Amino acid sequence: PTLSPSNEFLDKLFQFCLIQCVSMRGRHVCELCDDPSTIAERHGRIIRLGSAEIRVFGEAAIYAAPNLVFHFVSEHHYQPPQEFVDAVMSSVAPPSIDYLSLLKAHQLDFIENTDLTKACEHTDQRLIDGWAGMQAEASELLQRKALVKSKNIL
């Protein structure tokens, strides 16, 4: 089913995507889109989707979903089950200490989803398109910046 999502739901769902549980090697892309990008942006924050899951703590269940769910909801208006929507809207959310404590209490490993916002400010679209390319070029950029600082060149 499809339904145009509310801004409040998109805001909360994006928050859950800021913490990755069950990170995977490689990434999944949207098979419905011509553009295989897995980049998501909300209120100036940019993150990569498609390589991890999120956890949402409901009253009677812990919900797991691929973090690409944000793309499906925001771009394709996928309507998740109402129980999931209710849990997203009422649960404590990342990056709160209460949320991180729940993950730890349930022995769930997690990492923060890399915020690509700063990388996007200093690099071009090429870096976003390839993870390996982004890492290599970002590392090179940091090395050049450190060299410039150490020599007081600017």
Side-chain angles (χ1 to χ4, degrees), residues 8-136:
E8 295 81 15
F9 180 67
L10 288 175
D11 288 345
K12 278 290 285 260
L13 186 58
F14 188 85
Q15 281 183 269
F16 284 97
C17 294
L18 297 176
I19 298 293
Q20 299 180 15
C21 294
V22 191
S23 295
M24 298 161 218
R25 294 182 180 178
R27 68 183 168 113
H28 297 273
V29 296
C30 176
E31 296 176 5
L32 302 174
C33 290
D34 293 332
D35 176 12
S37 176
T38 55
I39 301 298
E41 186 272 333
R42 193 92 182 142
H43 303 298
R45 288 199 73 178
I46 301 169
I47 59 173
R48 183 175 298 279
L49 303 175
S51 63
E53 295 179 355
I54 63 171
R55 292 295 185 271
V56 179
F57 295 92
E59 288 190 30
I62 301 172
Y63 297 93
N67 64 5
L68 200 54
V69 70
F70 180 81
H71 169 82
F72 291 120
V73 171
S74 64
E75 299 300 318
H76 303 294
H77 297 173
Y78 164 68
Q79 181 183 3
Q82 190 59 48
E83 296 85 8
F84 177 80
V85 173
D86 292 343
V88 167
M89 296 307 292
S90 64
S91 176
V92 294
S96 74
I97 297 298
D98 290 340
Y99 178 80
L100 299 178
S101 296
L102 283 171
L103 290 176
K104 287 182 181 180
H106 288 89
Q107 299 178 344
L108 294 166
D109 292 331
F110 62 91
I111 60 171
E112 185 175 358
N113 196 342
T114 304
D115 185 347
L116 301 176
T117 307
K118 298 215 181 321
C120 291
E121 290 172 358
H122 301 291
T123 60
D124 60 20
Q125 188 63 36
R126 287 182 292 129
L127 298 180
I128 297 171
D129 293 338
W131 182 252
M134 183 177 72
Q135 287 179 322

